[in-house]
Amino acid sequence: PAPAFAAAFGPDSLAEAPVAGRIGAKIVTGQVDRLLVEPHRVLVLDYKTNRPPPEGVEGVPALYVRQMAAYRAVLRQAFPGRTVECALVWTYGARLMPLPDGLLDSHAPSA
């Protein structure tokens, strides 16, 4: 994995971690494949099986981006003051794709 996300696969990370919270009137629930909570950041990774996966973030289905943006919003509430970094792991080809904040911001749930 990319060095910035390698710790998400380490012994201090969680596999199949539940994520639940409220963003405004919306309830967000789900499960992420890898979660790492560190003192200054939270890493969240979700596996996707698309064949073939998109070449770049512009090809990621909006459904996936909305899902990760919602998880990021919940985790920001749960861990205030920490950076929340999100990435998809495409199982076909085992490729890690970090999702930029700007992309997630454009799909963030409204409060």
Side-chain angles (χ1 to χ4, degrees):
F5 287 88
F9 297 95
D12 295 327
S13 67
L14 300 171
E16 299 182 10
V19 174
R22 182 185 301 269
I23 304 299
K26 297 178 185 172
I27 301 294
V28 175
T29 62
Q31 180 173 296
V32 296
D33 291 300
R34 303 299 305 183
L35 180 69
L36 176 68
V37 177
E38 295 181 316
H40 300 293
R41 71 175 181 164
V42 176
L43 300 179
V44 58
L45 279 65
D46 211 36
Y47 300 154
K48 300 298 181 192
T49 58
N50 296 46
R51 290 176 174 237
E55 289 296 317
V57 294
E58 63 283 345
V60 174
L63 172 68
Y64 296 165
V65 180
R66 283 193 303 271
Q67 175 188 34
M68 295 301 282
Y71 292 161
R72 182 184 69 159
V74 168
L75 292 166
R76 282 179 166 176
Q77 287 181 347
F79 301 101
R82 298 183 202 193
T83 300
V84 179
E85 299 175 40
C86 300
L88 298 175
V89 178
W90 301 105
T91 59
Y92 182 80
R95 195 163 46 103
L96 180 88
M97 182 180 285
L99 300 174
D101 281 335
L103 177 63
L104 294 171
D105 292 345
S106 69
H107 290 79
S110 55

